[in-house]
Every structure is written in C-alpha cells, then in structure tokens.
Amino acid sequence: ASECPLGIELEGIVRSWLEESGYGFVSVDNGPDVFVHRKVLTDGLELVPETRVKLVVAWDEDRRKYHASRVSGAVGSAWGSAAAAEEEGPGSELPTGVMLSGVVAE
C-alpha cells in the first residue's frame, strides 16, 4: 500500500459511494484509496463518483487502514438528496431562516 500524509488537506477523486450505506472511497492524488463515512462530510450528505474532493486522512490502527477524518465537496442537504435539489432548481436547497452549524441560511 502506498503512503499517505496524515492530518493535512489533500485532494482526490471519489471512486465509489454507496448512498444506502452512507460510505464510499476516495483515491487520494498520488496515494491510496481512503474510506469515507457520511459523518465526516462537512458540506453535504453524499459524494458523487468521479468528482474531486478535499480531504484530511487519518490512520485507523485497529483496522490498519486509512480513513478520512474530514471531507469537503459533498452534495445534498438535510432536506433531500442532491438529485431532488437539482430538480427543484436554484434557491430550493434551504428554507429561509434555518440554522445550520450556527449559520443562518438567508
């Protein structure tokens, strides 16, 4: 397995995403494939295969594998999937005045 820098922001390409299970894998540029769970997505609820994302990688000593501790570049929101948001058009992603992570959506 190839080495991967830990604790710094890296870039990679989403290789797979299992929406029903809430996890997938990202291939780090010039590095290994890294496990990603939905709970570490910072800006959405799902990843789209073949898209670029930014991630911070950690090492799971018990499993002896890399995993993402933070990923940005996700899509979708708590109000529906990315596909539903696209169908509804721009401005339909968030209801006005809803608080997300301490920030009010306007």
Side-chain angles (χ1 to χ4, degrees), residues 79 94-100 103-106:
W79 291 276
L94 297 175
T96 301
V98 171
M99 184 169 284
L100 283 178
V103 178
V104 176
E106 299 186 25

Side-chain angles (χ1 to χ4, degrees), residues 2-94:
S2 55
E3 294 291 316
C4 188
L6 304 178
I8 61 170
E9 189 171 82
L10 304 170
E11 292 190 10
I13 296 177
V14 179
R15 290 295 171 213
S16 64
W17 183 255
L18 301 169
E19 177 55 29
E20 303 77 29
S21 302
Y23 71 86
F25 293 88
V26 170
S27 288
V28 174
D29 292 350
N30 302 311
D33 285 357
V34 174
F35 175 82
V36 177
H37 190 274
R38 183 188 326 272
K39 69 184 177 186
V40 302
L41 304 180
T42 62
D43 56 356
L45 294 176
E46 60 189 282
L47 296 178
V48 177
E50 301 306 316
T51 60
R52 294 196 63 75
V53 294
K54 293 184 179 183
L55 68 158
V56 175
V57 176
W59 177 254
D60 184 326
E61 189 59 43
D62 292 336
R63 292 186 172 110
R64 312 274 310 147
K65 294 183 180 184
Y66 292 109
H67 67 95
S69 60
R70 187 173 69 239
V71 178
S72 62
V75 297
S77 70
W79 291 276
S81 69
E86 287 175 14
E87 287 174 14
E88 293 168 14
S92 62
E93 293 83 16
L94 297 175

